[in-house]
Amino acid sequence: MPTFPSAGDHHHLVAALPKDILVDVLARVASQSPADLVSAKLTCKALLEASGKDYIYRHVNIAEFPVISWKSDLSRVLFIDRCITSGNPEALFRRGLIEYLSTLEIDSGLRHLGSAARSGHPESVYIYGLLMLCQGQQEEGMALLRSLKGGSRWLEMVRYCRERVSSVVRYRWVRNFTILAGPEQNRGRICSCRQERFAVLPSPESMGRGREGWASKEDAELDFYAINRCRSCFWNHEAAAFCTMLRCGSWLLNYDN
């Protein structure tokens, strides 16, 4: 008759594993659910001791945490702060965007967004690149935006990033008025292709609005610039659209809202 290890035997087996393996296991658990990480920490002393490493908090999944918490929850605040100090890209993205746009901690916000962007976090690459364009740092901004992941489906990545950025700023007051003016490059000609920035956009009807794939005027405008403009013109348009969204909630530049 087979015998099974007791609970105590399991604890000894776990304790015998190298610390770096335990840390990696906990990081994988945390990337799926913070609740499972808490449960794992409670199972034995070895996992509890390994759970304090920055590597784990860098990979923890905070998707279930609201961007804006209306309740004062010290434990949650401390948890997110630990994620930020550990370099968690999503936590850095959220904190950086709120600091830059709402609480006017401009330098700190840019620092957090830059750290997340350097880790390859797509939304941070996107928004940090747009902010660079808005600040006149054209070369740095374009280099970042052209590195945005997505390959041949990069336009879908842009739509995804738009939604993520909107979800973070949706319930916050935008107090950074300097960003609302948009990038200086959007006035007149902006790159060597010599295409006018604000060319007249065809009406939704003439563009075939209503066909499958165009769910909104915003999608139609985005597709128009992706197809009819060089990549530099497209990203400058996107920076201007971002500033428009901050002012009035819509990414549209050429349609009446």
Side-chain angles (χ1 to χ4, degrees):
M1 187 173 181
T3 59
F4 299 95
S6 66
D9 291 332
H10 280 303
H11 291 171
H12 288 305
L13 289 172
V14 171
L17 292 173
K19 179 66 70 69
D20 57 343
I21 291 181
L22 294 180
V23 170
D24 186 63
V25 168
L26 288 174
R28 292 172 184 269
V29 170
S31 69
Q32 298 299 314
S33 169
D36 290 342
L37 172 63
V38 173
S39 298
K41 289 166 59 176
L42 298 176
T43 57
C44 69
K45 183 178 179 180
L47 289 176
L48 178 62
E49 292 176 348
S51 66
K53 297 295 183 180
D54 285 345
Y55 181 80
I56 296 170
Y57 287 88
R58 192 178 308 138
H59 290 83
V60 70
N61 184 347
I62 64 169
E64 65 185 57
F65 289 80
V67 174
I68 306 298
S69 179
W70 302 109
K71 296 181 180 180
S72 178
D73 186 337
L74 181 59
S75 61
R76 177 176 293 178
V77 170
L78 293 175
F79 181 82
I80 295 298
D81 285 346
R82 178 62 191 279
C83 290
I84 290 172
T85 58
S86 300
N88 184 289
E90 176 65 19
L92 289 167
F93 163 69
R94 295 183 181 189
R95 179 68 62 83
L97 198 55
I98 290 172
E99 286 178 341
Y100 187 86
L101 295 176
S102 185
T103 63
L104 298 183
E105 299 168 86
I106 307 298
D107 293 340
S108 177
L110 281 177
R111 187 166 58 252
H112 286 143
L113 289 171
S115 296
R118 286 187 289 274
S119 75
H121 187 256
E123 302 94 303
S124 299
V125 172
Y126 169 84
I127 195 59
Y128 192 68
L130 295 186
L131 292 178
M132 292 299 98
L133 295 187
C134 291
Q135 293 183 352
Q137 300 179 46
Q138 190 82 357
E139 186 175 343
E140 181 179 354
M142 285 297 178
L144 269 171
L145 292 166
R146 286 169 177 155
S147 72
L148 191 66
K149 296 178 181 179
S152 61
R153 305 180 61 150
W154 67 273
L155 197 57
E156 293 182 23
M157 178 61 74
V158 173
R159 289 193 177 92
Y160 167 76
C161 290
R162 277 187 171 195
E163 177 56 34
R164 286 298 329 280
V165 170
S166 297
S167 71
V168 174
V169 302
R170 188 171 293 147
Y171 302 109
R172 304 290 299 192
W173 289 105
V174 176
R175 295 186 172 91
N176 187 352
F177 299 112
T178 60
I179 197 67
L180 298 182
E184 184 67 27
Q185 290 78 6
N186 282 294
R187 301 185 179 93
R189 301 185 185 278
I190 59 165
C191 77
S192 59
C193 77
R194 301 186 64 78
Q195 296 184 47
E196 289 289 348
R197 180 82 217 86
F198 292 114
V200 176
L201 186 68
S203 67
E205 291 75 19
S206 65
M207 292 174 67
R209 175 163 149 68
R211 294 185 308 199
E212 183 179 357
W214 278 351
S216 68
K217 291 179 179 179
E218 292 180 354
D219 282 336
E221 183 176 86
L222 188 65
D223 286 350
F224 175 82
Y225 276 101
I227 294 169
N228 295 285
R229 294 292 181 265
C230 75
R231 197 58 64 89
S232 293
C233 287
F234 173 85
W235 285 120
N236 276 279
H237 166 272
E238 191 67 9
F242 165 66
C243 296
T244 300
M245 183 275 293
L246 295 180
R247 288 196 301 271
C248 60
S250 171
W251 294 83
L252 292 171
L253 289 180
N254 288 281
Y255 288 117
D256 292 330
N257 295 317

